[in-house]
């Protein structure tokens, strides 16, 4: 990896000097093995401290003035919880392109990040109206963001449903329900306690179309986008979200579309349409933003994590259906903990799930290479 800071250009080329002056306050990390949309090396860019603060001040003004602010979130807001993103330097797709193996990961130890808690607080203060997330990690839900204000477009790893029941019956669990599921294979191996139908996960993999009303909440996402006057994108490459036309009001004249603010370390296909692009880590940007707004950031409190009150315990016959680690409840809430079953020491979890074989697209590309 080559790390450099561009600070000047040849005096014989004024046009190059002008361009370079715009990026003198950015730290650029060149990743030769990654490719941009135009075939040039992918770059990870960091605004320096002064530039970052200046941009966040502009963002704070937009947040204060917005009548209907909607936040779009991607994997970049969860990297601080040790959950890898997709296209960053250590992202899943990046590793696959390098020929490295991406194995299943048990993410039950992950907790909401500072960014998750900031978003929850901004919603509580009525500054954010709705959150549209690509993430399956369930951390928005666990931050205590109200479900009616959340659209998890690609599902939630803690939720399995019975589609045989009408309406669809939901089961929130304290473990990753996707260990036996993958692309086009969504059965979890458990049964509905009401009708006996097979339960399925809620994950929407690449190449699939999500049809579940919840937790996807496409209706809420579309309505929020329609009303939005400001959209803040946090930690998303937007390479998937850009394909969802209803989220961008592209059928309107440019002057009547929502103002777009993007926080991401790499290029996104929406950069040219953004009012402001901030190159910084989400937690750093959100911490500065909350300071500008004079709003205290709440710490994640496991005792207030709603997943424990929402969770449905396993049936006695299902105790051996889960090998993934169960989220440990805080003291005094052990009653909602599903029985783990008898597991042999060192037992290996079944490979699969949204963080395992669910990455069929990337694996197929690797094999074809």
């Amino acid at each position: 990896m080559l790390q450099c800071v561009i600070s000047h250009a040849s005096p014989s080329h004024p046009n190059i000097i002008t361009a370079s002056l715009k990026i003198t306050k950015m730290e650029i990390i060149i990743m030769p093995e990654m490719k941009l949309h135009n075939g040039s090396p992918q770059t990870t860019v960091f605004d320096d401290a002064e530039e970052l603060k200046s941009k966040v001040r502009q963002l704070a003004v937009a947040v204060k003035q917005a009548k209907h602010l909607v936040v779009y979130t991607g994997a970049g807001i969860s990297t601080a919880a040790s959950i890898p993103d997709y296209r960053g330097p250590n992202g899943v797709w990046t590793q696959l392109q390098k020929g490295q193996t991406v194995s299943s990961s048990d993410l039950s130890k992950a907790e909401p990040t500072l960014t998750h808690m900031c978003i929850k607080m901004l919603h509580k203060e009525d500054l954010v109206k709705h959150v549209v997330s690509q993430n399956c990690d369930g951390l928005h839900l666990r931050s205590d963001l109200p479900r009616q204000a959340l659209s998890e477009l690609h599902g939630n790893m803690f939720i399995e449903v019975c589609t045989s029941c009408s309406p669809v019956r939901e089961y929130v669990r304290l473990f990753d329900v996707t260990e036996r599921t993958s692309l086009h294979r969504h059965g979890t191996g458990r049964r509905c306690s009401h009708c006996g139908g097979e339960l399925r996960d809620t994950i929407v993999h690449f190449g699939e179309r999500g049809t579940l009303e919840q937790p996807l909440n496409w209706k809420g996402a579309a309505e929020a986008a329609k009303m939005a006057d400001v959209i803040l994108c946090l930690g998303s490459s937007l390479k998937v979200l850009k394909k969802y036309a209803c989220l961008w009001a592209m059928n309107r004249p440019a002057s009547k579309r929502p103002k777009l603010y993007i926080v991401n370390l790499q290029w996104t296909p929406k950069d040219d349409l953004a009012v402001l692009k901030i190159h910084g880590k989400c937690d750093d940007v959100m911490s500065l933003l909350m300071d500008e707004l004079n709003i205290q950031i709440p710490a994640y409190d496991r005792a207030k994590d709603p997943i424990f009150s929402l969770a449905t315990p396993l049936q006695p016959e299902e105790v051996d259906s889960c090998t993934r680690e169960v989220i440990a409840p805080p003291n005094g809430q052990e009653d909602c903990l599903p029985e783990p079953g008898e597991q042999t020491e060192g037992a290996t979890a079944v490979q699969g799930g949204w963080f395992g074989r669910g990455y069929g697209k990337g694996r197929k590309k690797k094999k074809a290479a």
Side-chain angles (χ1 to χ4, degrees):
M1 179 188 296
L2 174 64
Q3 182 170 309
C4 64
V5 177
I6 300 176
S7 58
H8 67 279
S10 170
S12 61
H13 295 83
N15 59 324
I16 297 180
I17 293 176
T18 302
S20 69
L21 289 175
K22 294 180 179 179
I23 57 176
T24 53
K25 294 184 178 182
M26 295 180 182
E27 184 179 33
I28 300 179
I29 299 176
I30 300 176
M31 304 294 295
E33 59 277 275
M34 299 177 67
K35 298 298 182 181
L36 262 179
H37 62 294
N38 59 6
S40 62
Q42 170 70 300
T43 55
T44 297
V45 181
F46 291 88
D47 293 327
D48 80 351
E50 290 184 8
E51 183 75 1
L52 190 64
K53 289 180 180 178
S54 175
K55 288 183 175 181
V56 171
R57 282 194 290 269
Q58 296 177 58
L59 176 59
V61 171
V63 170
K64 292 176 183 177
Q65 295 179 347
K67 295 180 180 179
H68 201 97
L69 169 62
V70 180
V71 177
Y72 295 173
T73 66
I77 75 165
S78 295
T79 53
S82 300
I83 299 177
D85 58 14
Y86 293 89
R87 296 176 174 87
N90 298 309
V92 174
W93 296 134
T94 307
Q95 293 182 52
L96 289 172
Q97 289 169 0
K98 293 178 181 178
Q100 299 175 359
T101 300
V102 179
S103 60
S104 293
S105 299
D106 192 335
L107 308 177
S108 60
K109 287 187 172 68
E111 294 182 344
T113 66
L114 180 144
T115 295
H116 288 96
M117 301 311 296
C118 289
I119 293 172
K120 171 260 177 109
M121 196 63 188
L122 290 174
H123 177 267
K124 184 178 180 180
E125 295 290 326
D126 203 32
L127 291 171
V128 167
K129 304 299 183 182
H130 198 84
V131 177
V132 179
S133 182
Q134 298 171 261
N135 299 340
C136 306
D137 53 36
L139 295 182
H140 278 304
L141 175 65
R142 296 186 59 196
S143 74
D144 202 20
L145 181 70
R147 295 195 68 183
Q148 68 271 18
L150 175 63
S151 295
E152 296 175 295
L153 301 185
H154 297 159
N156 185 314
M157 68 184 238
F158 295 109
I159 299 176
E160 55 187 344
V161 296
C162 175
T163 55
S164 297
C165 286
S166 182
V168 173
R169 191 175 300 276
E170 184 179 86
Y171 294 81
V172 178
R173 306 295 191 184
L174 297 181
F175 54 87
D176 179 0
V177 304
T178 71
E179 62 178 316
R180 290 177 172 83
T181 68
S182 62
L183 183 68
H184 302 311
R185 292 174 51 246
H186 293 276
T188 64
R190 286 174 287 275
R191 294 280 174 179
C192 176
S193 60
H194 294 265
C195 75
E198 183 181 26
L199 300 183
R200 52 154 293 174
D201 69 14
T202 60
I203 305 302
V204 181
H205 293 291
F206 291 96
E208 297 180 333
R209 183 181 296 274
T211 58
L212 292 172
E213 182 175 342
Q214 291 291 345
L216 278 55
N217 193 16
W218 266 106
K219 181 179 179 181
E223 290 178 351
K226 186 176 180 179
M227 298 177 65
D229 59 341
V230 174
I231 294 174
L232 172 59
C233 299
L234 295 171
S236 173
S237 70
L238 300 180
K239 291 181 180 179
V240 174
L241 280 186
K242 72 171 184 178
K243 299 177 182 179
Y244 301 144
C246 66
L247 299 182
W248 303 105
M250 296 302 289
N251 57 336
R252 301 183 207 166
S255 61
K256 295 185 178 181
R257 294 173 193 161
K259 293 180 181 178
L260 181 61
Y261 293 78
I262 299 174
V263 179
N264 205 56
L265 292 173
Q266 292 92 28
W267 171 89
T268 84
K270 292 289 184 179
D271 284 359
D272 291 342
L273 300 176
V275 173
L276 183 67
K277 172 69 179 291
I278 302 177
H279 302 91
K281 293 184 177 180
C282 292
D283 279 5
D284 295 340
V285 172
M286 294 304 292
S287 180
L288 290 171
L289 176 62
M290 299 297 273
D291 282 343
E292 288 290 329
L293 297 174
N294 196 27
I295 299 175
Q296 187 173 359
I297 304 171
Y300 166 71
D301 185 351
R302 181 179 289 266
K304 296 180 181 179
D305 192 328
I307 197 168
F308 296 110
S309 60
L310 294 171
T312 301
L314 293 174
Q315 298 296 311
E317 64 273 15
E318 296 174 330
V319 294
D320 293 323
S321 68
C322 165
T323 64
R324 292 286 169 88
E325 187 168 347
V326 174
I327 303 174
N331 293 334
Q333 294 188 27
E334 287 81 0
D335 289 345
C336 66
L337 182 66
E339 294 294 334
E342 296 181 1
Q343 299 177 16
T344 58
E345 185 174 352
T348 302
V350 178
Q351 296 297 300
W354 73 279
F355 230 75
R357 284 200 302 262
Y359 290 115
K361 179 180 177 183
R363 293 179 181 274
K364 288 177 182 177
K365 281 188 175 181
K366 182 67 184 72
K367 289 180 180 178

